[in-house]
Amino acid sequence: MKPIIAITMGDAAGVGPEIIAKAMADPDIRERGKIFVIGDLRRLRLAMDVVSSPLELRAITDPSDIVDDPAVIDIIDIDCIPEDLPWGRLSAEAGHGAFLFIQKAVELAMAGSIDAICTGPLNKEALHLAGHAFPGHTEMLAELAGVKEVSMMLTAPNMRVIHVTTHLGLVDAIARIDGDRVYRTIARGHDLLVKSGMENPRVAVAAINPHGGENGLFGNGEEAAKVQPGVDRARAEGMDVVGPLPADTLFMLASRGDYDLVVAQYHDQGHIPVKVLGLKNGVNVTVGLPFVRTSVDHGTAFDIAGKDIVDHEPLLEALRQAGDLSPDRSGDA
């Protein structure tokens, strides 16, 4: 059985509605899952007019109502966007709508009605204008799902990278890393891949210092003190984990297929190789939620919203990853 995937519209004044309208017309992506939209129906209809979509738009009240017809876009209508909202303009209404779309998606995911959420881009300033003080999607999803800690995983062609730390300065990131945090990150990534059907994922953990520290020559023993305990604990639990390995060669080995998952220690260590390999096809995955969440790795692009020039390929890739990472439903009744 196909996984059930909800696309949330994101900020309705941005490119989210357009990329959804374009992506839902792709017959190949419709084979990847039973895909429907959570958003404002009138706004999606307007976006469909912008991109000259030939599809039919159909309101549903529950994922069980999905017709799974490639000529139809099913949508749970959260009627909250003013009909005259201009494209490309910051607004509290669009920020509040983005929150409501996510809130409904999490409700369905926590109830087991859907397998994955694929999020359209939101605008953090609009979110804050609406009174929702979240730094972004990740923190909002974690709070709504009641989860204290999650990890960011980026995917690109031939590579998956999960991060021990993300939005911290380098000095602060190194201070934050310890064996427990490294272990939890390994375990979260390993668990996600196992649930998606990968029997024994091969995981490689990056070192912090150049050349893996060269046995203490570089750095202050961070590999032994901060990284190795987490690797050892994961290995003791039966996970196929190696490291800490020098990052300058590790990513090359991963890109040729030696490893299924790389554990990066800090933001740029993981982001740079992924974006070099495929900025257009990069996908952001939130790991540690009780459901799959993927996202396009771009923003609301207010400057081109409503002009039918946005590329929807990143959303197609995010939907592919949502389908690939979703639990196997073949045993369901």
Side-chain angles (χ1 to χ4, degrees):
M1 293 177 64
K2 295 179 182 178
I4 303 173
I5 304 169
I7 312 176
T8 55
M9 185 176 283
D11 191 299
V15 295
E18 284 176 84
I19 59 175
I20 291 171
K22 290 182 175 183
M24 291 296 280
D26 186 298
D28 292 332
I29 208 65
R30 300 297 290 268
E31 289 298 316
R32 296 291 189 118
K34 297 175 71 174
I35 305 171
F36 71 103
V37 180
I38 300 176
D40 184 278
L41 185 147
R42 290 181 303 179
R43 195 65 175 183
L44 184 55
R45 180 175 288 124
L46 182 61
M48 293 170 69
D49 290 342
V50 168
V51 305
S52 302
S53 172
L55 304 186
E56 175 190 345
L57 188 58
R58 176 175 175 266
I60 61 174
T61 58
D62 186 83
S64 61
D65 299 328
I66 298 170
V67 296
D68 198 24
D69 180 345
V72 174
I73 301 178
D74 287 315
I75 180 170
I76 291 182
D77 181 23
I78 310 294
D79 183 5
C80 59
I81 303 299
E83 198 165 2
D84 59 350
L85 180 77
W87 294 108
R89 187 172 299 175
L90 187 72
S91 76
E93 293 90 346
H96 184 55
F99 172 79
L100 294 177
F101 306 151
I102 286 291
Q103 186 179 52
K104 181 62 177 180
V106 171
E107 174 190 319
L108 293 171
M110 297 299 287
S113 300
I114 61 176
D115 300 299
I117 301 171
C118 182
T119 56
L122 56 72
N123 183 284
K124 295 173 186 176
E125 190 176 352
L127 196 66
H128 292 175
L129 281 175
H132 304 294
F134 296 99
H137 265 126
T138 301
E139 295 80 6
M140 190 193 315
L141 287 158
E143 181 166 315
L144 290 171
V147 175
K148 291 185 177 180
E149 185 179 73
V150 294
S151 296
M152 176 189 292
M153 183 170 82
L154 299 181
T155 71
N158 305 320
M159 189 180 295
R160 302 179 190 90
V161 181
I162 192 169
H163 295 69
V164 176
T165 65
T166 50
H167 296 114
L168 294 170
L170 185 55
V171 172
D172 294 332
I174 292 171
R176 189 76 60 88
I177 297 165
D178 60 31
D180 287 341
R181 195 179 185 98
V182 170
Y183 163 76
R184 293 195 303 270
T185 306
I186 295 169
R188 272 193 288 270
H190 182 275
D191 183 55
L192 176 68
L193 296 183
V194 169
K195 286 180 178 177
S196 71
M198 193 176 295
E199 187 173 344
N200 190 29
R202 300 161 298 169
V203 181
V205 180
I208 295 173
N209 293 298
H211 304 289
E214 289 278 21
N215 296 315
L217 182 62
F218 303 128
N220 295 294
E222 287 87 357
E223 279 68 34
K226 291 175 170 287
V227 183
Q228 194 67 57
V231 174
D232 291 345
R233 182 177 171 187
R235 287 177 60 84
E237 294 184 7
M239 299 180 213
D240 184 359
V241 184
V242 296
L245 301 179
D248 58 353
T249 54
L250 168 55
F251 288 101
M252 180 275 293
L253 297 174
S255 69
R256 75 180 189 187
D258 289 17
Y259 303 109
D260 301 304
L261 179 65
V262 174
V263 178
Q265 299 299 330
Y266 52 90
H267 184 280
D268 284 9
Q269 186 183 62
H271 277 57
I272 290 172
V274 169
K275 294 194 174 185
V276 167
L277 281 175
L279 183 60
K280 183 176 179 179
N281 293 318
V283 175
N284 186 330
V285 183
T286 304
V287 185
L289 297 168
F291 47 84
V292 173
R293 181 262 175 158
T294 66
S295 176
V296 294
D297 198 22
H298 64 72
T300 51
F302 279 166
D303 57 324
I304 61 171
K307 298 178 181 178
D308 192 21
I309 57 177
V310 65
D311 185 359
H312 65 290
E313 177 59 36
L315 179 58
L316 291 176
E317 186 59 32
L319 287 166
R320 292 183 193 108
Q321 292 293 328
D324 290 347
L325 293 171
S326 291
D328 185 3
R329 276 185 171 258
S330 60
D332 291 359

